[in-house]
Amino acid sequence: MKVFDPKEISTGEFHALMLGAIAPRPIAFASTVDKEGNVNLSPFSFFNCFGSNPPVLIFSPARRVRDNSGKHTLDNVLETGEVVINICNYAIVEQMSLASTEYDRGVNEFTKSGLTPVASTLIAPPRVAEAPAAFECKVLEVKPIGDKGGAANLVICEAVLLHVNENILGPDGKKIDPFKLDAVARLGGDWYLRANGDCLFELPKPLQSKGMGIDQLPAHIRTSKVLTGNNLARLGNTEAMPTPEELRAYEHEPMLRYMLQTHAQDTQEQERQLHLFAQKMLEEGRVQDAWKVLLLAQPKG
């Protein structure tokens, strides 16, 4: 591992490394107004949610690395204490990027980007009509962390209202469908991520049960030369191995019998092929079948 000490390289160099490593990052597409009512719209990828009761969102309009100047968004939230955090998806990503241009104070980025302002319900800043979701927020606190270029300014907000486009909701109308949301996230440099297609996958959460853990896997599985750490963790997330009765019933599966017979003269290759077969099952979510194959692949003697 190459080591980088932020005290020994420039802020710009460490900034680039940090943004390349901490990714993907969600984007707070923040709309604000100043005390005269002038509108500003700008994206920030130093952003996330930090609680739900009350609902707290934090983003950071950090001081510019190159010249230590501040952002208009920060000035506005300090003046008014209000912000709409719009969520950006792929349909508006180029317009969002255009809004990040450092226009002079007083220039309306809604106009520049071609996005549509819609009056908020509880606060003064408008929300973005095209955004799939938007949080109307009251600013609880602005916490500066330093006064040099690159220093953070944590804008701690309470969401007082959430607008969600009905088209991105799932069948129950209560959860957002990630495929319909089509969210985008920030990476390092000019790179973004589109959270859709093969990028999305489901992973069961060990909330209602206690998995046995990798340490409890049989040695021939735990030391497999085929299975990855992710594969082992999926197995370790189950509470119990299949019973002897279940294993006996599975011995008659045609594909398993074929693989056992084909490689009967080479036990090492037989084990490797069965582990590859089980790995494919794990990737397909067939955890119990993978367990049975792996247990039946255990070397005899």
Side-chain angles (χ1 to χ4, degrees):
M1 299 287 283
K2 189 170 182 177
V3 175
F4 296 91
D5 186 334
K7 296 182 177 63
E8 295 180 356
I9 62 175
S10 72
T11 300
E13 289 174 308
F14 196 81
H15 177 86
L17 287 165
M18 185 172 69
L19 268 59
I22 302 172
R25 300 183 306 283
I27 300 167
F29 199 13
S31 47
T32 57
V33 295
D34 63 19
K35 58 186 177 183
E36 279 81 37
N38 298 306
V39 176
N40 183 267
L41 179 64
S42 187
F44 300 93
S45 68
F46 291 172
F47 162 62
N48 219 308
C49 54
F50 292 85
S52 56
N53 187 22
V56 172
L57 291 72
I58 302 177
F59 73 101
S60 176
R63 302 190 67 82
R64 294 184 179 91
V65 172
R66 67 173 183 276
D67 60 6
N68 196 22
S69 58
K71 308 285 180 67
H72 298 148
T73 298
L74 178 62
D75 296 338
N76 291 353
V77 297
L78 288 170
E79 287 183 6
T80 69
E82 296 180 337
V83 57
V84 178
I85 296 180
N86 303 278
I87 301 302
C88 182
N89 64 0
Y90 189 73
I92 60 171
V93 66
E94 300 255 9
Q95 290 170 283
M96 178 274 297
S97 179
L98 180 57
S100 71
T101 303
E102 294 179 2
Y103 294 111
D104 293 337
R105 186 172 183 82
V107 172
N108 188 331
E109 286 84 3
F110 276 96
T111 303
K112 289 293 185 181
S113 63
L115 292 166
T116 309
V118 176
S120 294
T121 305
L122 300 177
I123 63 175
R127 58 187 176 87
V128 176
E130 293 83 357
F135 294 85
E136 295 188 25
C137 299
K138 295 282 189 178
V139 176
L140 300 175
E141 180 184 355
V142 178
K143 187 173 182 61
I145 312 293
D147 57 6
K148 296 183 172 62
N153 293 288
L154 304 184
V155 181
I156 304 171
C157 309
E158 179 178 350
V160 295
L161 207 62
L162 169 61
H163 303 265
V164 178
N165 187 318
E166 292 184 10
N167 292 330
I168 69 169
L169 294 173
D172 64 0
K174 296 179 181 180
K175 295 179 182 177
I176 291 173
D177 184 325
F179 291 94
K180 294 177 180 178
L181 175 60
D182 202 12
V184 293
R186 198 74 171 84
L187 305 172
D190 292 337
W191 290 96
Y192 287 79
L193 170 75
R194 182 179 187 180
N196 213 316
D198 292 340
C199 291
L200 297 179
F201 60 94
E202 288 186 292
L203 192 64
K205 291 184 180 180
L207 297 179
Q208 304 300 323
S209 62
K210 290 185 179 179
M212 69 178 70
I214 290 176
D215 62 317
Q216 297 301 308
L217 301 181
H220 80 283
I221 297 176
R222 192 173 62 250
T223 60
S224 172
K225 295 180 181 179
V226 172
L227 302 176
T228 67
N230 279 341
N231 297 150
L232 297 177
R234 180 63 69 93
L235 294 166
N237 194 30
T238 57
E239 290 188 281
M241 292 181 278
T243 64
E245 293 75 19
E246 290 173 323
L247 288 178
R248 283 194 292 271
Y250 198 80
E251 283 179 333
H252 302 289
E253 285 292 315
M255 189 61 185
L256 176 65
R257 290 174 62 84
Y258 170 78
M259 296 179 75
L260 288 169
Q261 293 170 2
T262 301
H263 303 287
Q265 304 305 313
D266 187 342
T267 56
Q268 287 188 343
E269 180 61 16
Q270 182 187 76
E271 183 177 12
R272 191 181 79 86
Q273 289 297 329
L274 288 169
H275 281 218
L276 287 169
F277 186 38
Q279 184 179 57
K280 185 173 184 297
M281 289 176 165
L282 287 170
E283 291 168 354
E284 294 171 350
R286 298 165 58 193
V287 180
Q288 285 302 307
D289 286 344
W291 259 119
K292 294 168 189 175
V293 169
L294 290 167
L295 290 174
L296 291 168
Q298 183 171 5
K300 303 295 187 291

